[in-house]
Amino acid sequence: MEPVPNVTRADAAQAVRNPLAFIAERWTPSPRTVQRAALAALVMAVLIVVTGGAVRLTGSGLGCPTWPKCTDDSLTTTSEMGVHGVIEFGNRMLTYVLCAAVGWAIIAARSQKPYRRSLTRLGWAQFWVVMGNAVLGGVVVLVGLNPYTVAAHFLLSTALIAVATVMWQRTREGDDAPRPLVGRPVQQMAWILVAVTVLLIAVGTVVTGAGPHAGDSSEVERIPLNWENVTKLHAVLAWIVVTLTFALWFVLRAVDAPKGPLHRTRDLFLVLLAQGAIGYVQYFTDLPEVLVGLHMFGSCLVWIATLRVLLALRERPEVVADLPAQSTQSSLTRA
């Protein structure tokens, strides 16, 4: 059993000044550990969206009527606030779990050898998005669930999922310059798919802001648009995304693209079909809360699958430090 190293006063001072560097000097995580840390951050980013949707769909959006405290006199929920207070406060507490997951991803990325600055920056980007969204969530409560702030809150969560997805992908790649696997026209087609998907998600927030699920039992302001017309626009955009996905898959087959992009595009197509089925069922059944929540979860999966298609169109091979091996072989040849 190895002895525990003594921590000197200089070590303690260094830990206070730069704790990440202090940990990195003493711990080297395996690549799988870094990948799992990045995946945990992504899973928590999706979970916070789903639980936020549960807050809204149960009418618990003002379960804690103020922020950062739950009430003017209490930091936590009280028994008088009932189940709505518990649901809202629970969602707030889950933000700390999200912060812990993001922090774990940052520590793992910073401690990896060799040090990868780009990967660590993606972790820090998630942290600052979480902080910004936490403040925006407080604003949402303080303005009484104004639908425009609610939409911004969701879109910022979508940005968090995007950064987390990119970081997760980068943990399985090297730091070499990206090499495209398909031609520029195919890449442009994928970027169009991403752009229309962003528009689809944005219009989805308008559907929510104009629809009947206000997030609280009291009178809450709604976006002054015809809900059914916006929903039809949302459906049209969804069909455009489906068509673009199928067209991209067909083009990738035609140009004999690698299996990676083909499989990612197929996965996106299947997720879109499932999401579309849920969307139509919830529309024709008067928006039951369970299906609306499932549709929000599906929205996260669609966004992740779309980004994975884009990221699959290039590769970043790992940089292999083979110079010592070459040098040894040359020495043996000369001998």
Side-chain angles (χ1 to χ4, degrees):
M1 184 174 181
E2 297 182 2
V4 178
N6 293 326
V7 179
T8 65
R9 182 175 297 180
D11 291 335
Q14 180 188 0
V16 172
R17 287 195 304 268
N18 194 336
L20 289 180
F22 179 81
I23 296 173
E25 288 179 3
R26 291 158 176 80
W27 178 57
T28 300
S30 67
R32 183 176 294 275
T33 298
V34 180
Q35 293 170 16
R36 288 175 175 173
L39 179 59
L42 175 58
V43 170
M44 281 305 307
V46 174
L47 184 59
I48 201 73
V49 171
V50 174
T51 56
V55 170
R56 184 177 188 84
L57 294 170
T58 57
S60 305
L62 295 178
C64 287
T66 187
W67 185 88
K69 292 183 176 181
C70 193
T71 68
D72 292 333
D73 302 320
S74 175
L75 181 64
T76 63
T77 181
T78 62
S79 58
E80 292 79 6
M81 302 171 69
V83 66
H84 293 308
V86 173
I87 293 174
E88 163 64 7
F89 187 74
N91 181 249
R92 292 189 185 188
M93 291 299 99
L94 201 62
T95 303
Y96 293 100
V97 182
L98 172 61
C99 288
V102 172
W104 174 240
I106 294 172
I107 293 172
R110 177 63 180 83
S111 302
Q112 191 175 20
K113 310 295 188 301
Y115 171 54
R116 300 177 61 184
R117 183 182 297 273
S118 61
L119 200 60
T120 307
R121 285 178 173 176
L122 286 170
W124 278 112
Q126 291 181 67
F127 174 79
W128 291 116
V129 173
V130 171
M131 292 298 100
N133 215 13
V135 174
L136 183 56
V139 173
V140 170
V141 173
L142 295 176
V143 298
L145 305 183
N146 179 281
Y148 299 101
T149 61
V150 173
H153 193 47
F154 180 82
L155 291 176
L156 201 53
S157 297
T158 303
L160 173 64
I161 291 174
V163 180
T165 301
V166 173
M167 183 177 182
W168 181 44
Q169 174 68 25
R170 293 286 287 112
T171 59
R172 295 173 294 163
E173 299 175 334
D175 282 330
D176 201 359
R179 297 203 300 255
L181 298 176
V182 295
R184 178 173 288 274
V186 181
Q187 296 178 47
Q188 291 174 340
M189 188 175 182
W191 276 108
I192 293 173
L193 172 63
V194 172
V196 179
T197 303
V198 171
L199 185 59
L200 171 67
I201 294 172
V203 173
T205 64
V206 178
V207 173
T208 302
H213 292 296
D216 189 71
S217 57
S218 61
E219 188 68 23
V220 175
E221 178 186 356
R222 314 306 296 140
I223 295 177
L225 293 173
N226 185 284
W227 174 77
E228 291 194 354
N229 290 340
V230 180
T231 301
K232 292 175 182 177
L233 174 61
H234 184 65
V236 169
L237 288 171
W239 278 111
I240 293 175
V241 171
V242 171
T243 303
L244 284 171
T245 302
F246 181 78
L248 179 61
W249 180 85
F250 184 82
V251 170
L252 289 171
R253 291 272 296 186
V255 301
D256 197 22
K259 290 184 178 180
L262 277 168
H263 290 169
R264 297 281 177 83
T265 307
R266 176 205 60 196
D267 294 344
L268 172 60
F269 186 75
L270 294 176
V271 172
L272 285 169
L273 291 182
Q275 176 75 338
I278 295 172
Y280 276 107
V281 171
Q282 71 170 1
Y283 178 79
F284 289 112
T285 55
D286 296 326
L287 303 178
E289 287 79 1
V290 173
L291 287 183
V292 175
L294 193 59
H295 196 63
M296 290 185 66
F297 175 63
S299 174
C300 297
L301 296 184
V302 167
W303 181 226
I304 293 171
T306 302
L307 292 172
R308 281 167 58 83
V309 168
L310 183 66
L311 295 171
L313 300 182
R314 88 286 184 277
E315 63 177 358
R316 287 177 178 267
E318 293 189 17
V319 180
V320 180
D322 56 353
L323 292 179
Q326 292 178 357
S327 177
T328 302
Q329 187 170 357
S330 297
S331 300
L332 291 174
T333 303
R334 286 196 300 270

